Amino acid sequence: MSIAYDKKTPHRFDVVGSFLRPARLKQARVDWKAGRISAEELTAIEDECVRDLVAKEKAAGLGVITDGEFRRETWHLDFMWAFDGVAHKPTETGLPFHDEAAKIDDTYLTGKIAYSGGHPFIQHFRFVQALEDEKCVAKLTIPAPAQFYEQFAMPFNLEATRRYYETDEELADDVVAAYRAFIADVYAAGCRNLQFDDCSWGMVVDPHAEQFFGTDAAGLERVKEALLDVNNRALEGRPADLTVNTHVCRGNFHSTWACEGGYDDVADFLLAREDVDAFFLEFDDARSGGFEPLAKVPAGKKVVLGLVTTKRGALEDPEAIVARIREAEKYVPLESLCLSPQCGFASCEIGNKLTEDEQWAKVALVREVAERVWG
């Protein structure tokens, strides 16, 4: 497919970004935390594993390469930890997911949020970028500004946050400033494809959203406006040749999920007004609702249909995927649609409950269907 060689994302056949960590890499991180190997030794193993992953991505025919998020514990928190004013510690309770608690570090404020430069993700990106060739381009995935803002504006973190920010608006201003500075740095490093991963919209549409955010129906509408505002302001003044896409998720930890709900209640915010080039949207099961909200997507923007689940190894029926693409085509022109798995395969280090062979079979299925539909 010619689209697979485009230097601008998304591609017809695409992936969200994270992949299952090899056993060797998982053990190396355990050994590093225990003091059995040095940080330099861990980095060397990470480098080898990322090179191997990129080779597999290329062999799978992907035109987009990532480091699989191999250097992170989680898809979002490692990014936050590198900013001034952000601290973390091992959790005692974890976050509530369906059937399981996500044991990821408690992350909270110890001062004002600021960006001092030298973010490790810059070097992570440069490493992958050096592996580009004429048939593939590197992209960097980071949590959306709204995700960063939400982490510290939610009720469970608000006591610590209020020590440094009297209002949510002040918090949002510093998040925006930090993101603009980071985006300038990563652009200068050569990044032209950036992806905002964003669970905040998935939380807003959940039936328990008012409880999550400690508000009422009217307050929830203000939350939606705040999430949209922080995302869009962070992108103000971005270079014209920087592509920014977003992936909306409802939670992805060890094949479990945190939220449910269709896009209907956020279509007028997220889909109609967020200043991104494309939307990677989950549609792998009933929790994501129907395609009707896609009618709100402005002409010219792309929608990447996440119709292949990463939460289990069983392969979907190609015919059923094609039928769903045809259904989505009622709301978005086919030339503006793409296909990918519904989420990453390992949003956190633990990974989802499938094998690496099953993971690559999922990627192959996405390619097979995309070539059938778009040629």
Side-chain angles (χ1 to χ4, degrees), residues 118-134:
H119 197 292
F121 280 31
I122 304 293
Q123 291 304 320
H124 298 174
F125 172 76
R126 283 183 170 139
F127 187 90
V128 179
Q129 184 185 38
L131 301 175
E132 289 181 344
D133 59 32
E134 71 281 359

Side-chain angles (χ1 to χ4, degrees), residues 6-169:
D6 195 349
K7 293 300 182 183
K8 183 176 181 179
T9 61
H11 294 171
R12 299 292 188 201
F13 154 50
D14 217 314
V15 290
V16 171
S18 69
F19 286 90
L20 295 171
R21 275 59 154 183
R24 181 190 180 204
L25 179 57
K26 287 185 176 182
Q27 185 60 50
R29 193 169 297 278
V30 170
D31 290 343
W32 169 66
K33 287 185 175 181
R36 290 189 289 268
I37 65 172
S38 67
E40 292 75 17
E41 288 173 309
L42 172 62
T43 297
I45 293 171
E46 289 174 341
D47 289 351
E48 291 176 13
C49 290
V50 170
R51 289 191 192 98
D52 182 61
L53 171 68
V54 170
K56 290 176 179 177
E57 289 174 314
K58 291 179 179 181
L62 284 163
V64 179
I65 56 173
T66 76
D67 65 3
E69 302 179 4
F70 278 10
R71 304 182 196 272
R72 312 182 200 180
E73 291 187 32
T74 71
W75 62 277
H76 59 322
L77 297 180
D78 296 64
F79 180 79
M80 299 178 193
W81 297 339
F83 286 80
D84 297 346
V86 179
H88 63 106
K89 63 181 180 181
T91 186
E92 295 181 2
T93 59
L95 294 175
F97 273 61
H98 187 71
D99 292 336
E100 186 173 353
K103 295 292 188 177
I104 56 179
D105 279 15
D106 293 334
T107 300
Y108 48 89
L109 293 184
T110 56
K112 293 272 192 177
I113 294 167
Y115 178 68
S116 298
H119 197 292
F121 280 31
I122 304 293
Q123 291 304 320
H124 298 174
F125 172 76
R126 283 183 170 139
F127 187 90
V128 179
Q129 184 185 38
L131 301 175
E132 289 181 344
D133 59 32
E134 71 281 359
K135 292 185 177 182
C136 65
V137 63
K139 77 171 176 180
L140 177 66
T141 62
I142 63 172
Q147 188 73 43
F148 200 121
Y149 164 82
E150 181 187 80
Q151 176 70 28
F152 305 109
M154 293 287 285
F156 67 83
N157 250 339
L158 206 52
E159 182 179 352
T161 299
R162 285 291 178 256
R163 295 174 191 150
Y164 310 101
Y165 294 102
E166 292 185 5
T167 67
D168 290 344
E169 289 75 17

Side-chain angles (χ1 to χ4, degrees), residues 157-354:
N157 250 339
L158 206 52
E159 182 179 352
T161 299
R162 285 291 178 256
R163 295 174 191 150
Y164 310 101
Y165 294 102
E166 292 185 5
T167 67
D168 290 344
E169 289 75 17
E170 293 173 355
L171 170 66
D173 288 344
D174 277 1
V175 170
V176 167
Y179 265 80
R180 287 178 179 174
F182 173 82
I183 290 170
D185 261 12
V186 78
Y187 180 84
C191 181
R192 296 297 179 269
N193 291 280
L194 188 63
Q195 181 176 300
F196 284 170
D197 293 330
D198 203 344
C199 282
S200 63
W201 298 108
M203 293 190 70
V204 168
V205 300
D206 191 89
H208 300 99
E210 292 178 22
Q211 178 184 342
F212 293 158
F213 289 92
T215 190
D216 56 16
L220 198 59
E221 293 304 300
R222 292 191 292 271
V223 168
K224 295 174 190 177
E225 196 67 55
L227 298 176
L228 177 69
D229 180 71
V230 73
N231 279 343
N232 282 349
R233 283 201 290 141
L235 291 173
E236 286 178 3
R238 64 168 156 147
D241 62 339
L242 175 63
T243 297
V244 180
N245 305 320
T246 191
H247 167 244
V248 177
C249 183
R250 290 162 183 77
N252 188 49
F253 176 85
H254 206 208
S255 293
T256 62
W257 50 270
C259 302
E260 56 185 320
Y263 299 94
D264 308 74
D265 290 342
V266 294
D268 288 328
F269 297 86
L270 167 69
L271 301 182
R273 297 164 56 200
E274 187 156 309
D275 189 21
V276 293
D277 297 292
F279 301 95
F280 282 71
L281 301 177
E282 294 187 325
F283 283 110
D284 60 319
D285 61 26
R287 290 186 303 106
S288 301
F291 295 126
E292 292 81 2
L294 297 182
K296 297 286 187 176
V297 175
K301 293 194 176 186
K302 291 185 177 180
V303 173
V304 186
L305 300 171
L307 297 174
V308 174
T309 191
T310 66
K311 289 179 166 58
R312 60 182 182 275
L315 288 175
E316 289 82 353
D317 177 6
E319 296 292 339
I321 300 173
V322 171
R324 296 203 71 198
I325 294 171
R326 298 305 180 193
E327 185 181 347
E329 189 183 359
K330 297 174 184 177
Y331 306 99
V332 176
L334 187 62
E335 62 268 21
S336 294
L337 293 174
C338 305
L339 183 65
S340 79
Q342 135 272 343
C343 196
F345 291 96
S347 298
C348 297
E349 196 170 28
I350 190 172
N352 281 349
K353 297 175 183 177
L354 70 169

